[in-house]
Amino acid sequence: MPPAGLILAVSLFCGALTVAPSHRGPGSIVTIVALVWFVVELLRLSARNRWRALRSAPQPRWNATEFGLIVVAGVIGGLVGPHLLASHDNSTVVGWSLGAAVTVAVAVCLFTAKASYRRRSSRAWRP
């Protein structure tokens, strides 16, 4: 399962991509911070996997609901946020609000998918 830090880093990166085009200075700084955080979380995940390739880590079996939530998070963070919502015409408040909304939406979808998987897998181990 992806750790919470990785989910938050991905969510912040998606939100930062929504802000960056409209506000070059602070938006670019937030994007760099989010990218560095994401790389640090990947390094932590690799270290936890004893520096083997991440594809050798155990793969969870997602059901349709969990997979759908992950796809929705990907569409919001990768398509809707940076391509449809981000604009140079947005004011400061609107740009940062849309970035925060994308961050929260992606985080909610990914944490919900993780919680659903954990609940489903814990039921499998009950007698």
Side-chain angles (χ1 to χ4, degrees):
M1 290 302 306
L6 185 63
I7 292 173
L8 290 174
V10 167
S11 302
L12 181 64
F13 185 69
C14 292
L17 289 178
T18 304
V19 174
S22 58
H23 305 289
R24 291 273 181 215
S28 297
I29 291 170
V30 172
T31 303
I32 291 169
V33 168
L35 182 62
V36 168
W37 186 18
F38 179 69
V39 170
V40 166
E41 289 295 329
L42 284 178
L43 288 172
R44 287 180 58 211
L45 193 62
S46 294
R48 200 169 75 185
N49 197 31
R50 298 187 181 156
W51 299 105
R52 293 179 302 202
L54 287 177
R55 68 174 176 252
S56 69
Q59 299 292 320
R61 302 237 187 254
W62 305 104
N63 68 11
T65 303
E66 296 151 359
F67 183 73
L69 285 167
I70 293 168
V71 168
V72 167
V75 168
I76 291 171
L79 179 69
V80 173
H83 295 291
L84 300 177
L85 296 178
S87 172
H88 294 288
D89 300 331
N90 291 343
S91 69
T92 303
V93 173
V94 171
W96 286 97
S97 298
L98 289 173
V102 167
T103 300
V104 169
V106 170
V108 165
C109 287
L110 293 178
F111 276 120
T112 304
K114 181 178 178 177
S116 174
Y117 175 79
R118 291 185 74 169
R119 184 176 42 248
R120 187 172 50 87
S121 64
S122 70
R123 283 187 291 187
W125 291 100
R126 287 189 211 155

